[in-house]
Amino acid sequence: MRRINRVELLLPGPDIPAAVAAFNDVLGGHLPVPEEVPQQGVLSTTDYALGIELYGPTGPASTRWSAFDTKPRRGAVGPIVFEVDDLDAARAELEHKGYRVQFEFGAPGVRQAHLDPELLFGYGITLTERASEGLGVQPTNVRRFQRIELLVAGEDVEPAIAVFRDVLGADLAPPTHIDEHGILTTWDLRLGIEIFGPSRPDSRIAPRLARKGRGAIGPIVFEVHDLDATKAAVLAKGYRVHFEFGGAGERQVHLDDSQLFGYGITFTERRAV
């Protein structure tokens, strides 16, 4: 895998224009006006420089409305898209390992193959030939997308690490136990993912997992140039900080997800290598 291409955030279509405005406001992004995908009843808009796409069904007749049978209406994630050098070779290797391709589409250079989420702890992993580097306009409030946090059950943390190593070639260390919060966590900042889960029933993230279910995400983390300046700017616009933590060089500020359509946006000073 070369790099993460984008994370697809799934919302009801009527919420997408307002979500575009909020994400552009908070992140200084350039998500364009959403467009409807012909004959699918789906609205979509992508900012490759931010590494996110907002998409969702316009109504019950949409081809994607059934996604809400298994996902919450707020804060859900669709495919997580990774770039590959050779889609045919990557697909053949994964099929040889026993992973299934659920569907594929697109033309040469922009083809995509979507893996069956049943074998991936509920996460839809998509492989694409399209390179995102250099696409889009650099956001003004953040430096770049850093990682998406994949929230799994505690007993699934180590099996998920093994699977994401196998599928993505992720460099994931054995999980660290943060005892004071009851959390197991490990990450690959080069690839752009973190896998974390509760280590005990009273973990502070257990209620979130119970609410969001399989295939849930935690925060989406963006690196910033100046954490204090960014925090002040979003507070001045009326957005709330839910919590912050860490020390010099690794501080994080987490925004109130109730103002961001269920998505937890985190700003961090820590930079991926």
Side-chain angles (χ1 to χ4, degrees):
M1 303 296 160
R2 286 201 305 259
R3 54 182 281 168
I4 202 163
N5 180 278
R6 67 191 187 278
V7 175
E8 300 188 15
L9 307 181
L10 175 62
L11 283 167
D15 285 345
I16 290 178
V20 166
F23 275 79
N24 283 342
D25 196 30
V26 167
L27 302 174
H30 300 87
L31 285 157
V33 174
E35 296 183 353
E36 186 163 352
V37 180
Q39 300 179 331
Q40 293 188 26
V42 171
L43 283 180
S44 175
T45 178
T46 303
D47 184 337
Y48 285 102
L50 278 180
I52 60 174
E53 175 180 351
L54 301 181
Y55 83 107
T58 56
S62 167
T63 58
R64 294 294 296 158
W65 190 258
S66 62
F68 288 134
D69 292 338
T70 56
K71 293 180 180 287
R73 298 295 176 92
R74 292 290 178 99
V77 64
I80 305 168
V81 185
F82 294 88
E83 299 171 11
V84 296
D85 292 310
D86 185 328
L87 184 62
D88 293 322
R91 182 185 60 232
E93 179 182 353
L94 290 173
E95 288 180 332
H96 179 72
K97 291 179 177 180
Y99 299 99
R100 297 186 294 264
V101 172
Q102 193 174 54
F103 61 86
E104 53 185 293
F105 60 93
V110 293
R111 290 188 304 157
Q112 297 190 20
H114 184 72
L115 304 180
D116 186 347
E118 285 304 309
L119 300 176
L120 296 164
F121 301 89
Y123 297 102
I125 300 299
T126 293
L127 310 180
T128 182
E129 293 176 330
R130 181 172 190 173
S132 62
E133 190 169 5
L135 295 180
V137 179
Q138 182 65 27
T140 56
N141 293 356
V142 299
R143 181 171 175 265
R144 65 177 181 177
F145 170 95
Q146 187 191 82
R147 70 188 190 273
I148 182 170
E149 300 187 10
L150 309 182
L151 175 59
V152 300
E155 63 271 20
D156 285 339
V157 169
E158 294 203 15
I161 290 171
V163 165
F164 281 91
R165 284 174 179 162
D166 197 32
V167 171
L168 301 176
D171 184 15
L172 294 164
T176 297
H177 185 201
I178 305 174
D179 187 59
E180 62 180 308
H181 298 302
I183 293 174
L184 295 169
T185 181
T186 182
W187 54 83
D188 180 346
L189 298 186
R190 177 196 63 82
L191 196 62
I193 62 170
E194 177 176 349
I195 295 173
F196 75 119
S199 63
R200 56 178 188 259
D202 64 347
S203 167
R204 70 176 181 84
I205 61 172
R208 187 189 312 168
L209 178 63
R211 185 174 71 252
K212 290 191 171 185
R214 200 163 183 256
I217 60 169
I220 306 168
V221 184
F222 292 87
E223 298 173 11
V224 299
H225 299 283
D226 183 326
L227 187 61
D228 292 322
T230 302
K231 174 184 171 183
V234 297
L235 288 174
K237 292 179 179 180
Y239 296 97
R240 297 183 294 270
V241 170
H242 183 49
F243 62 86
E244 53 186 296
F245 61 93
E250 295 190 18
R251 289 189 303 153
Q252 295 191 14
V253 169
H254 184 75
L255 302 183
D256 185 345
D257 61 9
S258 70
Q259 294 181 295
L260 294 164
F261 300 84
Y263 296 102
I265 298 297
T266 292
F267 299 131
T268 183
E269 291 179 328
R270 180 177 186 175
R271 295 188 177 185
V273 176

